[in-house]
Amino acid sequence: MKVAIYARVSTDRQEMEQQILACRRFCEYRQLEVGEIFSETISGTKLSRPEYARMVQSLRTYQYDGVVVFRIDRLGRNSRELVLLFDELQAKGIEVFSVNEQLDTTTPIGK
């Protein structure tokens, strides 16, 4: 399965490289092929997330079979946004994996 990694930091206390490394290790363990890493530093007030938009577009065009994130909150800024994204991805057969929450939408519990 070919996946994208998405990492985002929004404070000085968060470390981008730590997120990416954890996602890479997860992919190695799960034998997932990493196609591209999308990463960005976005402050709490900034609404634009260009790398997020590129990542979502790549998933919409089936360039990847899934996306791996360090934590679910990296994908969405609120519950509604997450639910809409998950619904869209699920309808397309695209999986979501979270390293920290151990979320895997390929399993019944994850769905």
Side-chain angles (χ1 to χ4, degrees), residues 34-95:
V34 177
E36 189 170 356
I37 298 173
F38 299 89
S39 63
E40 56 197 344
T41 302
I42 303 294
S43 70
T45 60
K46 195 171 184 181
L47 298 177
S48 175
R49 294 186 289 163
E51 286 298 291
Y52 173 83
R54 276 190 349 99
M55 182 266 308
V56 169
Q57 184 58 32
S58 73
L59 294 171
R60 286 178 176 152
T61 57
Y62 298 99
Q63 293 177 38
Y64 302 106
D65 304 305
V67 60
V68 176
V69 294
F70 182 68
R71 285 192 339 240
I72 292 299
D73 67 352
R74 302 298 82 198
L75 278 178
R77 296 168 82 77
N78 59 56
S79 298
R80 183 175 170 7
E81 184 179 350
L82 278 173
V83 168
L84 292 173
L85 177 65
F86 277 37
D87 282 349
E88 178 183 355
L89 296 180
Q90 182 180 21
K92 294 180 179 299
I94 297 168
E95 307 300 343

